[in-house]
Amino acid sequence: MKVDLSVRLGSLQLKNPVLTASGTFGYGTEYGELLDVAALGGIVIKTITPRPRPGNPSPRIWETSGGMLNTIGLANVGVDAFITDKLPALRKIRTAIVVNIAGSTVEEYWEVVEKLDNEKGFDAYEINVSCPNVKDEGMAFGTNPKVTEKIVRGVRERTQRPIIPKLTPNVTSLSEIARACEAAGADALSMINTLVGMSIDVQSRQPRISTVTGGYSGPSIKPVALAKVFEAHKAVSIPLIGIGGISSAADALEFIIAGASAVQVGTATFIDPRTSLYIISGLEEYCENHDLSRISDLVGSIQLD
Amino acid sequence: MTQEKGSIHRIDRFRSSLFSLQIELPAIAETAVPGQFVHMKVEGVQHAILRRPLSIAGVNGNIIRLIVRIVGSGTERLAEYKVGQTSDFIGPLGSGFDIGDVETAYLIGGGIGDAPLLFLQDESKNRGIKTHLFVGSLSHDEFPLEDEEVKERGLVNCTDDGSFGFHGFVTAAFEEQMKRGVKGNTRAYTCGPVPMMKEAARLCKEYGIPLQVSLENRMGCGVGVCQGCATKLKDTGERGGFQLVCVDGPVFNAEEIDWSLF
Ligand SMILES: Cc1cc2nc3c(=O)[nH]c(=O)nc-3n(C[C@H](O)[C@H](O)[C@H](O)COP(=O)(O)OP(=O)(O)OC[C@H]3O[C@@H](n4cnc5c(N)ncnc54)[C@H](O)[C@@H]3O)c2cc1C
Ligand SMILES: Cc1cc2nc3c(=O)[nH]c(=O)nc-3n(C[C@H](O)[C@H](O)[C@H](O)COP(=O)(O)O)c2cc1C
Ligand code: FES
């Protein structure tokens, strides 16, 4: 039996439901010597901001029990250099390319879209609303439904491409934010971005990473991410992309069954760059063993009594 | 850069917390140059997930040599590896030393920082370069090389407590050498604790010897993707002076570094 692994996220068609997560696959080409990137369902590019960002001081990462903390600080080349130096190589990769965007103000998100949208070589936007809003005491945009809706609506007005807000789990009601994005015209939702975490060196009593707290990711956050996907699946009707601790086909299947149409692999790529490829073949095998001709039939198929 | 499974060919424990590993890694061995490292998955470490960066300390045919100091759960687990056991490696990674066409090379290593310098010494000798290798540690029991190899290599071994070889810092031994005179076209290389590299940089400047420095930082991906290993070398330039130890380094020219930032 030939299994159909393709999925649709609004108008975005993917050949299979496994993408690499923003910030864990660079600008798409770095891992090219180690795996066939065209076999991926898609690649989400590192967050791009209107201007280059050098990022946060070192130390930027710390390994935790079953996960890691990072405080990269959205270090990136900026949208202009992205267009001239990075996009040309992406045009040659035969898979969906999703550009993740962010800004320090609402208008900066729109600025990135305005600069990028006439360019060829990518298929969709992921909107990273987990970064600090300089006009709101550094609170993440994505914690405020009104601000999130404003960002998404503004992006919607500036592009025909599919738009996928990426939600932060560090909120009281994820459902509320998810509904705000749906109302503003989002095609799909990605979730989750990193949790807030910290670690202290008890000898020196100093924090392990330079900004004290940082983004917590990796296998140990999976249960939290899964619960968020399940929550959002009940709250909205647009497709979801599950992210958080996914490192095997079984992990990916949990997310799909909970309601995700696709998944992204982040930290697990650092552990083994080929993780996403193993997941793709594992999904195919699962479908064969369970007489499923299409992976999409599995989406949200959780059995509750 | 390749990813390959390597089988442990030999493992030798020495002193209280050191061991050397010989691993069969044909693809990595074929292209490795001194200064590069491998990113190794250490299996069976509870709750640890990330790979461990380790310098290539030598290449012999298909075999890569590593010298490791036990400092935490990953290296502790690695020390228990058995001959024939396999593990996953990505490498060779990073920039190598620029060996160039010189008459004499001075290699200054502190502690486990000697690892890349051993490979560099081998390669320099192959190219007919005269090498002076200085390696320092706290005491004999911490010395990062077995006694026989110390003799074979003809290196200057230094210990802070005087229990093995020169009594004093490795940079003091290097300075004595400098005072005897520096002739012709030379280069220097250093790897080890920051205060030692700082002092080596000061001396090299004083004696007009170009110096290359091998740096360390925590790593996520090891291949330039995560930006986790970014280290500020100077407070200038587009990236705010940040360089990635994994791909821009680990080897940098000493002039690129502002030591007051370390
Ligand atoms: C380019 C490079 C080359 C290296 N070469 C060697 C070598 O040849 N021999 C050797 O013994 N050691 C070397 N190190 C240091 C070695 O990577 C660490 O000692 C090792 O990762 C410690 O792992 P652990 O689980 O035992 O320690 P833990 O402290 O339990 O590790 C916790 C986390 O911190 C990281 N970490 C801890 N110490 C260091 C360090 N000094 N540098 C970078 N990351 C660290 C670990 O990788 C891990 O992610 C090198 C480091 C770098 C960056
Ligand atoms: C080193 C690192 C850098 C990241 N950078 C970004 C980023 O630039 N933009 C973004 O939206 N998410 C970023 N993330 C978050 C991931 O895309 C992902 O949402 C998160 O890590 C959870 O998935 P995981 O557990 O599979 O890693 C980053 C994560 C890590 C570990
Ligand atoms: S370790 Fe990821 S960029 Fe250097």
Side-chain angles (χ1 to χ4, degrees), chain A residues 23-27 30-31 33-34 46 52 54-68 72 75 217-219 267 270-274 278, chain B residues 1-5 39 41 46-52 88 90 217-232 238-242 244:
Chain A
T24 64
F25 214 74
Y27 298 105
E30 292 89 338
Y31 275 117
E33 285 177 53
L34 299 183
K46 174 76 188 165
N56 289 336
S58 184
R60 289 183 176 181
I61 54 180
W62 179 253
E63 190 179 30
T64 61
S65 184
M68 65 181 278
I72 308 300
S217 68
T267 305
F270 302 155
I271 307 167
D272 190 334
R274 288 191 267 226
Y278 299 141
Chain B
M1 184 204 323
T2 40
Q3 183 176 0
E4 66 177 327
K5 285 255 182 300
H39 214 20
K41 199 167 159 189
Q46 260 214 318
H47 310 302
I49 58 160
L50 297 175
R51 286 171 181 263
R52 299 306 192 243
D88 193 76
I90 300 173
N217 203 340
R218 311 250 153 205
M219 287 190 184
C221 66
V223 301
V225 156
C226 72
Q227 313 270 321
C229 65
T231 304
K232 190 170 267 205
E238 242 194 41
R239 289 194 276 172
F242 282 114
L244 301 180

Side-chain angles (χ1 to χ4, degrees), chain A residues 77-150:
Chain A
V77 297
V79 67
D80 296 329
F82 174 70
I83 291 169
T84 53
D85 304 343
K86 307 293 181 187
L87 255 186
L90 289 173
R91 290 190 187 114
K92 296 186 196 121
I93 302 177
R94 297 271 150 259
T95 188
I97 303 294
V98 180
V99 178
N100 180 300
I101 61 164
S104 319
T105 62
V106 169
E107 292 72 23
E108 281 195 7
Y109 282 84
W110 303 341
E111 190 184 336
V112 182
V113 178
E114 282 162 6
K115 285 198 167 157
L116 257 178
D117 209 50
N118 287 329
E119 301 295 328
K120 289 196 181 66
F122 68 101
D123 303 284
Y125 294 97
E126 183 171 73
I127 310 170
N128 176 6
V129 292
S130 307
C131 38
N133 179 353
V134 293
K135 292 195 180 146
D136 188 15
E137 291 167 356
M139 281 294 287
F141 295 98
T143 57
N144 182 327
K146 287 218 172 61
V147 178
T148 306
E149 185 167 347
K150 188 171 173 195

Side-chain angles (χ1 to χ4, degrees), chain A residues 62-63, chain B residues 37 45 50-57 66-76 112 115-116 214-219 245 250:
Chain A
W62 179 253
E63 190 179 30
Chain B
F37 66 97
V45 190
L50 297 175
R51 286 171 181 263
R52 299 306 192 243
L54 296 163
S55 301
I56 300 172
L66 309 176
I67 301 182
V68 185
R69 201 164 98 90
I70 300 172
V71 297
S73 58
T75 46
E76 216 161 84
I112 201 68
S214 179
L215 299 180
E216 272 187 5
N217 203 340
R218 311 250 153 205
M219 287 190 184
V245 169

